[in-house]
């Protein structure tokens, strides 16, 4: 009997969070992104401080930090921003994998380009990281909301 109650409580919580509108999703995505961005930047900065601050190692450091930060963001956003459930279909995980592979290439590529184009300054690597992370964040939100976690269209019978 307790498990039935737990299930209905979980379903009720999931149903109410599925009602999040665009702006609520943006706010949650931003808060989670900020938290995960700190994780990402901390790892990137830490790896650079440990000697991964010259090519090609700075690209490896950026790749590692991106993977850890993005994986954390994926699980938090799936649960708290998009309230996604396992659909049993391969489309959602495949969509996620394709999106994050693309975003990964953008993040590392934009970071590399920024490091090459920015003038020498004390905060150069941090500024490059911010530019690359900002680019990746915009791509992620748009694609997660419109492709990976899009709400299925209501059928005529459901309307």
């Amino acid at each position: 009997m307790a498990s039935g109650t737990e299930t209905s409580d979980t379903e009720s919580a999931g149903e109410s969070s599925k009602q999040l509108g665009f702006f609520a999703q943006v706010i949650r995505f931003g808060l989670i992104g900020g938290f995960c961005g700190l994780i990402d930047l901390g790892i990137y900065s830490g790896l650079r401080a440990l000697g991964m601050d010259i090519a090609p190692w700075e690209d490896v450091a950026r790749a590692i930090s991106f993977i850890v930060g993005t994986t954390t963001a994926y699980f938090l956003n799936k649960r708290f921003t998009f309230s996604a459930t396992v659909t049993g279909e391969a489309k959602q995980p495949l969509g996620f994998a394709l999106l994050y592979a693309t975003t990964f290439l953008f993040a590392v590529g934009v970071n590399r380009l920024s490091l090459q184009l920015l003038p020498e300054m004390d905060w150069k690597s941090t500024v490059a990281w911010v530019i690359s992370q900002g680019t990746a964040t915009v791509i992620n939100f748009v694609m997660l909301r419109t492709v990976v976690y899009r709400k299925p269209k209501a059928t005529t019978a459901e309307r």
Side-chain angles (χ1 to χ4, degrees):
M1 186 140 171
S3 63
T5 305
E6 291 171 11
T7 303
S8 63
D9 290 345
T10 304
E11 288 171 357
S12 296
E15 287 173 11
S16 65
S17 62
K18 286 182 184 180
Q19 302 304 318
L20 287 177
F22 176 77
F23 292 108
Q25 285 181 335
V26 168
I27 290 168
R28 286 186 183 194
F29 190 82
L31 291 171
I32 290 169
F35 171 71
C36 294
L38 291 174
I39 292 170
D40 187 332
L41 180 59
I43 291 171
Y44 180 62
S45 298
L47 291 172
R48 289 179 55 85
L50 292 172
M52 296 177 81
D53 58 345
I54 57 171
W57 296 110
E58 59 196 352
D59 296 334
V60 173
R62 182 63 183 109
I64 292 168
S65 71
F66 176 86
I67 290 167
V68 173
T70 300
T71 301
T72 305
Y74 167 73
F75 287 110
L76 292 175
N77 278 311
K78 180 177 180 175
R79 171 79 170 101
F80 297 109
T81 303
F82 300 108
S83 302
T85 58
V86 177
T87 62
E89 299 176 15
K91 287 193 290 188
Q92 195 177 68
L94 180 60
F96 165 77
L98 289 172
L99 169 61
Y100 279 84
T102 302
T103 307
F104 172 79
L105 294 174
F106 269 96
V108 174
V110 169
N111 192 72
R112 165 67 24 223
L113 183 63
S114 297
L115 288 170
Q116 290 176 346
L117 296 177
L118 288 170
E120 288 303 318
M121 62 179 128
D122 290 339
W123 293 84
K124 182 177 181 176
S125 66
T126 303
V127 172
W129 179 88
V130 168
I131 293 168
S132 70
Q133 189 63 26
T135 303
T137 299
V138 170
I139 292 168
N140 276 343
F141 180 78
V142 170
M143 296 305 290
L144 283 171
R145 189 170 200 281
T146 60
V147 178
V148 178
Y149 298 130
R150 74 176 177 271
K151 293 177 183 171
K153 294 181 181 178
T155 62
T156 307
E158 293 174 337
R159 291 184 212 175

